[in-house]
Amino acid sequence: MRIPIRMISMATTFFWIFLIVFLVSAVYSVKDVRFDFGEPQIGLTSDNKILFSLPIIIDNRGYYNIGCFNVTTEILDHEGFMITRASTFIPVIEKSRQAMATHNVTIDVNDLLQNSQDYLFNDTELEVHETVGIKLAEVIPVQASTNLSMPWGAPLYNFTLGEIEYAGFNGTHMTATVPISFENHASFDLTGSIQMRMYNSTNILVSEGQTTIETPQHAAYSGYIELNVPIVSITGNGYFEVYFLTPLFEFGPLVIPYG
């Protein structure tokens, strides 16, 4: 049986009208989709990485399901080196329903230090690229992205060794006291130890020692390391090798001259 051309035309017109109405209503329904973001939290993972957690609530009050909700965060250093990337995905958010997720982003401080030690000693900024995508009515892809900067506080800001103070120990050795100071500008507490090796002007290792540190975030540290130095090895100048051992990172040697 042949279908009249007029009926084919009417069917085609009806299809396009239906599709247009569907698309318009789906796009219009986005006004009834609400995104709520909870208070960001900063902590540590079990393998000692910095963890940023952002709770997200999607309230779909629209006419259709939402599919493929995805939020992706990329953090880069000032040279464009990728430090970390994380995504959170929800396959379907049904109409008249809520969905909850937590967007987690981790930073390995050792990855930062691969490119530059400045992240330990100088405040700076990291580049953040955020992308959010959904499929309205599980069909129409919608995506938005933005770039922003995130401040980075150095955990060892203004790290300084003070003047060496010598005191008698016995007939062959002196006690050398080396003052240490810095400010923890980071968003995490800094715990661990500082190890020090002392070399004289002839590059001979004359002594070594260490001290523990427990410095809360946004607090200053002031302490010292005592070294037992042979009197015959003491010279007017030389250098220290400083090593930092913490659960979050290990770094060294930092070479600092004295004298």
Side-chain angles (χ1 to χ4, degrees), residues 1-251:
M1 179 181 66
R2 296 181 61 187
I3 301 176
I5 294 177
R6 183 180 177 186
M7 291 186 63
I8 296 176
S9 179
M10 290 177 60
T12 303
T13 301
F14 176 78
F15 171 78
W16 282 110
I17 291 174
F18 170 79
L19 182 59
I20 291 171
V21 171
F22 173 80
L23 294 177
V24 170
S25 62
V27 174
Y28 179 75
S29 71
V30 77
K31 75 178 183 63
D32 296 317
V33 179
R34 188 176 67 188
F35 297 90
D36 289 330
F37 299 92
E39 186 71 23
Q41 301 293 324
I42 300 178
L44 298 177
T45 65
S46 58
D47 55 350
N48 293 313
K49 296 178 182 178
I50 304 173
L51 173 65
F52 298 90
S53 296
L54 178 66
I56 303 172
I57 299 175
I58 305 98
D59 189 4
N60 182 12
R61 299 179 183 178
Y63 304 120
Y64 303 98
N65 294 346
I66 292 175
C68 300
F69 171 82
N70 181 73
V71 55
T72 299
T73 299
E74 295 178 343
I75 299 180
L76 307 92
D77 65 14
H78 58 275
E79 295 181 351
F81 174 79
M82 178 76 71
I83 298 167
T84 189
R85 186 180 190 274
S87 294
T88 299
F89 180 76
I90 302 176
V92 178
I93 306 167
E94 297 179 355
K95 63 180 180 180
S96 303
R97 299 290 296 272
Q98 279 189 350
M100 293 181 290
T102 301
H103 184 51
N104 292 324
V105 182
T106 60
I107 294 181
D108 188 335
V109 179
N110 288 301
D111 288 344
L112 282 174
L113 300 181
Q114 286 183 3
N115 273 16
S116 175
Q117 68 182 34
D118 285 348
Y119 293 104
L120 287 183
F121 305 105
N122 295 298
D123 296 343
T124 185
E125 291 185 341
L126 301 175
E127 297 180 12
V128 181
H129 182 66
E130 292 282 356
T131 303
V132 179
I134 60 175
K135 281 189 177 180
L136 298 175
E138 300 184 73
V139 175
I140 309 168
V142 177
Q143 181 173 292
S145 62
T146 186
N147 294 318
L148 49 93
S149 59
M150 179 178 71
W152 171 264
L156 296 166
Y157 180 82
N158 197 29
F159 182 84
T160 304
L161 298 183
E163 292 291 329
I164 306 173
E165 297 181 3
Y166 290 100
F169 181 72
N170 57 30
T172 60
H173 287 74
M174 300 281 284
T175 297
T177 301
V178 184
I180 299 173
S181 63
F182 63 87
E183 299 172 17
N184 181 10
H185 287 186
S187 57
F188 51 85
D189 297 341
L190 186 64
T191 61
S193 65
I194 298 176
Q195 298 179 353
M196 179 181 293
R197 295 177 180 175
M198 181 180 182
Y199 293 83
N200 64 15
S201 60
T202 60
N203 296 321
I204 294 177
L205 174 63
V206 296
S207 187
E208 54 188 317
Q210 70 174 27
T211 188
T212 58
I213 52 173
E214 293 185 5
T215 311
Q217 54 184 296
H218 309 303
Y221 172 86
S222 180
Y224 59 88
I225 290 180
E226 288 187 343
L227 305 172
N228 200 17
V229 183
I231 295 175
V232 295
S233 299
I234 296 176
T235 57
N237 56 68
Y239 62 92
F240 294 107
E241 288 184 350
V242 186
Y243 298 80
F244 305 91
L245 305 176
T246 78
L248 286 172
F249 62 88
E250 295 185 2
F251 177 78

